[in-house]
Amino acid sequence: MPEPAAVAADAATAADAASAGVVVVGAGLAGARTCQELRAAGHQGPITLIGDEAASPYDRPPLSKQAVDATTGDLGFDAVALNVDFRPDLRVTGLAGASRTADGPLQLAVAGHAPVLAEAVVVATGASPIVPPGWHLGDRVRTLRTRDDAIALATLVDALGAQARFAVLGGSWIGMELASRLAAAGIAVTVLEKAAWLLPQLPPEVGRQVRRWCDGAGVEVGLGLPVDGVTIGEAPRDGVVVATTGGGEVVADAALVALGVRPATGWLADSGLGLSPRSGALRVDQHLRSGDPRVIGVGDAVERWSPRYRAWLPGGHWQDALDAPVVAAQSVLAALAVTGPPPPAAYDAVPYFWSEMFGHTLQWTGFLTDYRSARLVVRGDMADGPWSVCWLDEHARLHGVLACDRPRDAVAARKAQAADPGGAPEVDIDALADPQRAMRDCFVAGR
């Protein structure tokens, strides 16, 4: 029979877990939306939101697309109205107690603070910029991920003036958006990308067109040039950033490291939960549940299983952070249910994201496994005017669309892909190739 002290300790632990309720780790769009959806779904228990920035939740897309101040992207998150215990400026360092068979509380380790117990945990920690080992960030070598990053970068650009030379290290979305803004301000920009084309996350046809935009804006581009290191120059070039590549040195007054991001899941390394061998993201099923159904993941930090595509999809897109919390909240409620969980909803959205650069709006919809085996159809003239690039398989099924200044193409394609069980509806190729035909009229009905 257990000792009275042990019974009391167990009771205290259970009480602490119950008082903690749901803990959402990550106070970005995905985390804030999950809190809102939990309340909208009728959850009345405690919710704690932990964020590693001092600011209230805000949206990140504006940070690389417009002038930034202390309120840019603010989501208007009202923790008091939602009865959410918001704890900013805290760093979660570990998760214990996660197991499919565990029945005790989950425990979150927090740097410099007492552990936090929870009945359910939502992983919404987002992603962090990739900075290679040995690269030292500083006033003139920066990344762009947070609002503070964006404000500091803008301050640096203002201090350097219009005669500054800026190196963008990486032809990523963030890198190209910033290169576009700097060039528009009259600043000399050099972009270095180790791949053979810009935006290497997409097929090369897109990157080649972006290269033409760079040329037109006066942005110098070096392709196939991996950056070996970044240092601060010594006399006679004090304070100058020198980027060493396979082609020599590129001298600039400042540099942005834009090599992409990786999921911020280091704190889950010893949790026992399944992480992607490719990216380190927390792997979740179509209900956004990890190997422990009490741990739900949403946003940039996860890789979700898609029954539609029969593949693991990265969760690192703004649209996922906006929409997936509806399902995340329902999976949390299912995990908390005492009298049999309700049927969980599924999240299997078609990947979608957008960007703005060099005066153009780009919208991607779909999932393309191998562009090399796809048939390419272009709607419009890529050299002059709006266009859409479409990738089809051998059965004329539309797997991916990149629309440039043709928003109706993107909307219609995304709707048709979402309605198709495999995410790739069949099209009439001749109709698709005619830019005067509405995209919605290019799909083969009933197939």
Side-chain angles (χ1 to χ4, degrees), residues 4-408:
V7 173
D10 289 344
T13 298
D16 287 343
S19 65
V22 180
V23 179
V24 180
V25 186
L29 175 63
R33 288 274 297 121
T34 300
C35 293
Q36 293 168 337
E37 290 299 330
L38 280 167
R39 292 304 188 212
H43 180 61
Q44 298 180 358
I47 301 175
T48 300
L49 176 64
I50 300 177
D52 63 358
E53 296 181 57
S56 295
Y58 62 88
D59 220 356
R60 296 186 190 278
L63 301 183
S64 58
K65 298 178 176 67
Q66 65 184 56
V68 179
D69 60 27
T71 63
T72 298
D74 189 83
L75 294 173
F77 182 80
D78 192 335
V80 175
L82 289 169
N83 191 22
V84 170
D85 179 8
F86 177 41
R87 304 183 189 181
D89 211 16
L90 295 182
R91 185 169 60 90
V92 176
T93 59
L95 172 65
S99 167
R100 183 171 291 277
T101 60
D103 56 4
L106 297 160
Q107 181 172 294
L108 293 158
V110 181
H113 294 267
V116 175
L117 299 180
E119 295 175 280
V121 169
V122 178
V123 177
T125 39
S128 301
I130 296 172
V131 180
W135 290 27
H136 300 291
L137 302 179
D139 289 342
R140 296 200 180 200
V141 182
R142 313 198 66 91
T143 59
L144 176 55
R145 181 64 182 174
T146 69
R147 188 161 61 193
D148 286 347
D149 289 339
I151 292 172
L153 189 61
T155 301
L156 172 62
V157 170
D158 289 343
L160 291 174
Q163 301 304 311
R165 298 162 297 173
F166 214 97
V168 176
L169 310 181
S172 64
W173 291 102
I174 293 293
M176 299 316 303
E177 289 173 359
L178 186 68
S180 171
R181 286 187 56 208
L182 292 173
I187 294 173
V189 182
T190 299
V191 176
L192 301 178
E193 168 56 50
K194 69 178 182 179
W197 63 87
L198 298 171
L199 299 180
Q201 308 93 331
L202 292 181
E205 294 82 8
V206 180
R208 291 170 188 149
Q209 177 59 34
V210 174
R211 170 66 185 272
R212 289 191 281 270
W213 293 343
C214 287
D215 293 343
V219 174
E220 295 187 16
V221 177
L223 298 174
L225 294 175
V227 177
D228 299 323
V230 181
T231 60
I232 302 299
E234 299 178 355
R237 298 183 296 183
D238 290 336
V240 174
V241 175
V242 179
T244 304
T245 73
E249 292 184 343
V250 173
V251 180
D253 296 300
L256 174 76
V257 180
L259 303 177
V261 298
R262 62 167 55 96
T265 54
W267 61 284
L268 296 173
D270 297 323
S271 66
L273 298 173
L275 303 181
S276 167
R278 175 180 57 189
S279 67
L282 175 67
R283 282 193 159 173
V284 296
D285 64 13
Q286 64 267 36
H287 309 293
L288 306 181
R289 302 173 301 190
S290 70
D292 185 326
R294 300 172 301 165
V295 180
I296 290 87
V298 65
D300 296 14
V302 310
E303 211 173 71
R304 60 182 174 89
W305 176 252
S306 169
R308 181 194 305 275
Y309 297 109
R310 299 180 184 177
W312 293 101
L313 303 185
H317 300 307
W318 180 87
Q319 200 68 43
D320 276 358
L322 180 70
D323 295 338
V326 176
V327 172
Q330 293 185 32
S331 289
V332 168
L333 296 181
L336 296 177
V338 177
T339 59
Y347 184 76
D348 197 10
V350 172
Y352 170 83
F353 57 88
W354 63 278
S355 179
E356 294 175 350
M357 62 183 72
F358 301 104
H360 300 283
T361 298
L362 297 172
Q363 295 169 278
W364 170 273
T365 178
F367 179 63
L368 187 65
T369 55
D370 187 357
Y371 72 87
R372 292 167 297 187
S373 61
R375 176 172 180 173
L376 189 69
V377 175
V378 179
R379 289 167 58 78
D381 184 353
M382 294 186 73
D384 182 23
W387 48 264
S388 292
V389 181
C390 308
W391 288 269
L392 316 177
D393 64 17
E394 67 274 19
H395 303 294
R397 294 179 300 211
L398 183 65
H399 285 261
V401 174
L402 193 285
C404 175
D405 302 327
R406 291 181 64 101
R408 291 184 179 179

